[in-house]
Amino acid sequence: MTTLVTGGTGFVGIHVMRQLALEGQAVVSVSTRGNLDDVACQFLGEAGERIVSLKADVLDLEKLRAVLREFAVDTVIHGAAITAIGELEREVP
């Protein structure tokens, strides 16, 4: 089973991916950031070996379709969101 997690570099996404990977699932993470930072990688530990991180925007339907096909995704967990970071939320609502 392969699960796609949107917003995989966020707080909730990382925790969801870790749990899925610990349960033995393959996980594909998509986010506008792409790669997980060092803190996230440390948190994931060995579970990180079951996670593929990709840079993609959830608004790019063609890219998402390609990812779904390439990794034979069975399940999607949508966690992508714009969080209140400085003025970003006001500037790009």
Side-chain angles (χ1 to χ4, degrees), residues 1-4 68 71-76:
M1 182 172 209
T2 301
T3 301
L4 172 72
L68 293 170
F71 293 93
V73 171
D74 303 294
T75 306
V76 175

mmCIF file of all heavy atoms in Angstrom, residues 1-4 68 71-76:
data_model
loop_
_atom_site.group_PDB
_atom_site.id
_atom_site.type_symbol
_atom_site.label_atom_id
_atom_site.label_comp_id
_atom_site.label_asym_id
_atom_site.label_seq_id
_atom_site.Cartn_x
_atom_site.Cartn_y
_atom_site.Cartn_z
ATOM 1 N N MET A 1 0.850 -1.179 0.000
ATOM 2 C CA MET A 1 0.000 0.000 0.000
ATOM 3 C C MET A 1 0.898 1.246 0.000
ATOM 4 O O MET A 1 1.861 1.315 0.742
ATOM 5 C CB MET A 1 -0.905 -0.015 1.222
ATOM 6 C CG MET A 1 -1.844 1.128 1.297
ATOM 7 S SD MET A 1 -3.025 0.891 2.640
ATOM 8 C CE MET A 1 -4.378 1.793 1.992
ATOM 9 N N THR A 2 0.547 2.232 -0.814
ATOM 10 C CA THR A 2 1.285 3.486 -0.881
ATOM 11 C C THR A 2 0.328 4.639 -0.621
ATOM 12 O O THR A 2 -0.738 4.721 -1.223
ATOM 13 C CB THR A 2 1.949 3.672 -2.259
ATOM 14 O OG1 THR A 2 2.824 2.579 -2.497
ATOM 15 C CG2 THR A 2 2.728 4.972 -2.317
ATOM 16 N N THR A 3 0.732 5.505 0.291
ATOM 17 C CA THR A 3 -0.084 6.655 0.646
ATOM 18 C C THR A 3 0.633 7.935 0.244
ATOM 19 O O THR A 3 1.815 8.103 0.521
ATOM 20 C CB THR A 3 -0.364 6.680 2.166
ATOM 21 O OG1 THR A 3 -1.042 5.473 2.528
ATOM 22 C CG2 THR A 3 -1.205 7.878 2.559
ATOM 23 N N LEU A 4 -0.098 8.831 -0.394
ATOM 24 C CA LEU A 4 0.396 10.165 -0.725
ATOM 25 C C LEU A 4 -0.057 11.114 0.376
ATOM 26 O O LEU A 4 -1.239 11.141 0.729
ATOM 27 C CB LEU A 4 -0.169 10.628 -2.067
ATOM 28 C CG LEU A 4 0.104 12.077 -2.448
ATOM 29 C CD1 LEU A 4 1.570 12.248 -2.809
ATOM 30 C CD2 LEU A 4 -0.786 12.504 -3.597
ATOM 31 N N LEU A 68 0.685 10.078 -8.679
ATOM 32 C CA LEU A 68 -0.242 8.987 -8.352
ATOM 33 C C LEU A 68 0.024 7.751 -9.197
ATOM 34 O O LEU A 68 0.030 6.625 -8.694
ATOM 35 C CB LEU A 68 -1.695 9.444 -8.535
ATOM 36 C CG LEU A 68 -2.199 10.517 -7.570
ATOM 37 C CD1 LEU A 68 -3.559 11.035 -8.024
ATOM 38 C CD2 LEU A 68 -2.265 9.987 -6.154
ATOM 39 N N PHE A 71 3.870 6.151 -8.521
ATOM 40 C CA PHE A 71 4.057 5.441 -7.259
ATOM 41 C C PHE A 71 2.890 4.518 -6.910
ATOM 42 O O PHE A 71 2.860 3.955 -5.816
ATOM 43 C CB PHE A 71 4.301 6.452 -6.130
ATOM 44 C CG PHE A 71 5.607 7.177 -6.274
ATOM 45 C CD1 PHE A 71 5.663 8.397 -6.922
ATOM 46 C CD2 PHE A 71 6.782 6.618 -5.794
ATOM 47 C CE1 PHE A 71 6.870 9.069 -7.067
ATOM 48 C CE2 PHE A 71 7.985 7.274 -5.941
ATOM 49 C CZ PHE A 71 8.035 8.500 -6.581
ATOM 50 N N ALA A 72 1.957 4.327 -7.837
ATOM 51 C CA ALA A 72 0.792 3.455 -7.626
ATOM 52 C C ALA A 72 0.131 3.757 -6.272
ATOM 53 O O ALA A 72 -0.072 2.875 -5.442
ATOM 54 C CB ALA A 72 1.189 1.981 -7.735
ATOM 55 N N VAL A 73 -0.224 5.023 -6.079
ATOM 56 C CA VAL A 73 -0.803 5.481 -4.822
ATOM 57 C C VAL A 73 -2.210 4.915 -4.646
ATOM 58 O O VAL A 73 -3.035 4.968 -5.550
ATOM 59 C CB VAL A 73 -0.820 7.032 -4.773
ATOM 60 C CG1 VAL A 73 -1.604 7.534 -3.576
ATOM 61 C CG2 VAL A 73 0.599 7.566 -4.766
ATOM 62 N N ASP A 74 -2.464 4.366 -3.443
ATOM 63 C CA ASP A 74 -3.780 3.814 -3.093
ATOM 64 C C ASP A 74 -4.633 4.804 -2.299
ATOM 65 O O ASP A 74 -5.848 4.798 -2.379
ATOM 66 C CB ASP A 74 -3.620 2.564 -2.213
ATOM 67 C CG ASP A 74 -2.792 1.497 -2.868
ATOM 68 O OD1 ASP A 74 -3.241 0.954 -3.889
ATOM 69 O OD2 ASP A 74 -1.691 1.223 -2.362
ATOM 70 N N THR A 75 -3.947 5.623 -1.476
ATOM 71 C CA THR A 75 -4.641 6.497 -0.544
ATOM 72 C C THR A 75 -3.997 7.880 -0.564
ATOM 73 O O THR A 75 -2.779 7.982 -0.690
ATOM 74 C CB THR A 75 -4.540 5.931 0.893
ATOM 75 O OG1 THR A 75 -5.010 4.592 0.896
ATOM 76 C CG2 THR A 75 -5.336 6.759 1.883
ATOM 77 N N VAL A 76 -4.816 8.909 -0.406
ATOM 78 C CA VAL A 76 -4.306 10.278 -0.317
ATOM 79 C C VAL A 76 -4.777 10.884 0.997
ATOM 80 O O VAL A 76 -5.959 10.819 1.338
ATOM 81 C CB VAL A 76 -4.808 11.147 -1.491
ATOM 82 C CG1 VAL A 76 -4.365 12.590 -1.319
ATOM 83 C CG2 VAL A 76 -4.340 10.583 -2.819
#
